[in-house]
Amino acid sequence: MRYTDIAIIGGGLAGSTAAAMLGRAGIASVVIDPHAVYPFDFRVEKLSGGVQLERFEKTGLADSVLRSATHDGENWIARFGYLLDKAPSEQFGIMYDVLIAAIRAEIRKPAEFVCAKAVEIALSTERQKLTLSDGQEISARLIVLANGLNVGLRRMIGIERQVISACHSISIGFDLVPVGRPAFPFPAMTYFSERPSDRIPYLTLFPVGSRMRANLFAYREADDPWLREMRRKPVETLNAALPRLKRITGEFDVAGDIKIRPADLTVSTGYRQPGVVLVGDAFAATCPVTGTGTDKVFTDVAQLCNVHIPAWLASEGMGLTKIAAFYDDPAKLECDAWSTAKAFNFRSVSIDPGLYWQAQRWARFLAYLGDGTLRRLNKAFSGGTRLRTHSSSSSSSSSSSSSSSSSLSSSSSSS
């Protein structure tokens, strides 16, 4: 029997992040996953700025992990073939397997990695028992289930998954390459749907290393013939769905494999049990269109490892009162509710034909256009201010008046 404080089942984003955090905190833990090197998986391919990065920073891993990602710096916003804004951006492109490798590289003792699969689980209010595929047995004070959509172990202890919206959205991933030129004109771009009838909320293009990665989202059934056409003739199908996209991108081609992943919205039931907590998709799966699944993982793991586990280990037992504190955590509850509401709202604002949702679409279009216009005016105004400052300093230096005149004329021309 191997003894530890925390046993983490699943070494993806949630599990590996938890192990790295607990190791840094000096808490004995074991993360169990069947893949010593995480394989390619079409999941998270971009970390967004703002609130999501703030949540990632709470794990203490952001600075080191983001060194493996590609920062775009600026994101173009476009719709109907028109460039609406060139917005400053804090997006970081990174393939999921590379992201997991970067996080696992931060796992330090007393946290450990075990390459195996958990096959049996037994719970109590004191210690939990795990049996692994290689015959090992692990005794832990707490089990963290971070094994995503895998329901086998959960059903063993009476936890079920309830689908609240089947095939809520479909994610499509591929590489986009320019035709007839070395690169696209934009660092990154979000292109919104031109027609609700196409059932596409948006296409996002972002760099991952030297590649321009594309994530296209759709609200369709999993057996929709459109998806087969997307596999067979991706360029033609994409041009038919977004006919004015080429005004911004120019001619393009699709390189490599096309990955398609349907996503259900799910919640767990029967999860309030002694000795075990569920995090990330194991607790509730949300819609990739909104990008909030990563927010949920970082919130779950940060609250669990920074707040609850240190408090729980300070006293004996791992009963329901302790476990309930995590599920009732205000930060977790707020993030979960926000993520679910956004999943349904984004779908309606993208494809609902009602007058209210049509107005919402136009309001967003005008908001982006307004932001872009203000940004261009501010930039022009700032440029004019610099010119006036340069002009006044030039006129005060009589010894170099002709040279200053020439410089001002050149600057005005380029502006």
Side-chain angles (χ1 to χ4, degrees), residues 118-414:
V119 294
E120 289 185 23
I121 182 171
L123 304 177
S124 75
T125 58
E126 295 297 330
R127 298 198 70 88
Q128 327 313 320
K129 180 181 175 183
L130 281 176
T131 304
L132 307 187
S133 55
D134 60 2
Q136 288 190 70
E137 292 184 334
I138 295 178
S139 173
R141 293 193 62 188
L142 175 72
I143 291 175
V144 178
L145 278 175
N147 56 347
L149 303 179
N150 191 332
V151 298
L153 283 177
R154 276 170 270 171
R155 286 179 174 165
M156 192 177 294
I157 55 176
I159 298 174
E160 292 293 337
R161 183 179 65 181
Q162 178 184 352
V163 178
I164 58 176
S165 181
C167 197
H168 187 82
S169 66
I170 293 178
S171 307
I172 306 169
F174 50 91
D175 289 348
L176 207 70
V177 295
V179 172
R181 59 206 188 285
F184 290 108
F186 45 83
M189 182 172 71
T190 302
Y191 190 88
F192 288 97
S193 175
E194 300 178 22
R195 301 164 302 205
S197 58
D198 287 315
R199 307 186 71 79
I200 293 174
Y202 65 91
L203 166 73
T204 177
L205 303 172
F206 52 94
V208 179
S210 59
R211 305 154 60 185
M212 183 62 75
R213 190 64 177 166
N215 283 179
L216 176 69
F217 300 99
Y219 295 114
R220 294 175 178 268
E221 299 299 321
D223 59 355
D224 193 314
W226 184 86
L227 294 172
R228 291 196 294 273
E229 289 302 299
M230 190 65 202
R231 282 192 188 278
R232 289 179 56 247
K233 298 185 291 185
V235 174
E236 294 87 341
T237 306
L238 190 56
N239 280 329
L242 304 172
R244 286 172 279 196
L245 173 65
K246 287 193 298 184
R247 291 184 184 177
I248 309 294
T249 63
E251 294 291 336
F252 60 83
D253 201 355
V254 171
D257 294 336
I258 295 177
K259 302 296 183 181
I260 298 178
R261 182 167 70 92
D264 300 333
L265 299 190
T266 66
V267 295
S268 294
T269 61
Y271 53 83
R272 289 182 184 250
Q273 299 194 34
V276 63
V277 292
L278 281 64
V279 294
D281 283 350
F283 175 72
T286 189
C287 177
V289 175
T290 63
T292 59
T294 309
D295 292 81
K296 287 172 77 290
V297 166
F298 293 150
T299 299
D300 279 0
V301 175
Q303 293 304 111
L304 181 65
C305 296
N306 288 336
V307 178
H308 299 289
I309 286 178
W312 295 346
L313 294 179
S315 61
E316 295 298 319
M318 202 59 67
L320 282 175
T321 301
K322 288 183 175 180
I323 300 303
F326 170 70
Y327 292 121
D328 295 335
D329 185 298
K332 173 178 171 54
L333 290 173
E334 181 182 9
C335 186
D336 287 347
W338 164 74
S339 176
T340 301
K342 194 169 182 179
F344 286 102
N345 182 272
F346 216 119
R347 182 181 170 103
S348 292
V349 82
S350 299
I351 65 173
D352 198 304
L355 289 176
Y356 172 81
W357 296 109
Q358 290 183 47
Q360 286 288 312
R361 284 190 286 273
W362 279 107
R364 293 187 180 205
F365 173 84
L366 293 173
Y368 282 123
L369 180 60
D371 287 345
T373 301
L374 285 174
R375 204 181 312 278
R376 288 189 292 271
L377 289 173
N378 285 334
K379 186 176 180 180
F381 177 77
S382 298
T385 301
R386 284 196 296 272
L387 289 178
R388 286 193 297 275
T389 302
H390 179 74
S391 176
S392 61
S393 64
S394 298
S395 61
S396 65
S397 303
S398 57
S399 62
S400 58
S401 61
S402 62
S403 147
S404 298
S405 256
S406 173
S407 174
L408 178 61
S409 173
S410 172
S411 298
S412 300
S413 173
S414 64

Side-chain angles (χ1 to χ4, degrees), residues 85-118:
D85 192 10
K86 294 182 179 180
S89 171
E90 287 296 315
Q91 295 181 142
F92 292 85
I94 184 169
M95 304 305 282
Y96 190 70
D97 55 325
V98 178
L99 173 62
I100 302 309
I103 293 174
R104 286 186 178 183
E106 299 300 313
I107 298 176
R108 301 285 187 270
K109 287 186 177 298
E112 300 177 83
F113 177 87
V114 172
C115 185
K117 185 176 181 180

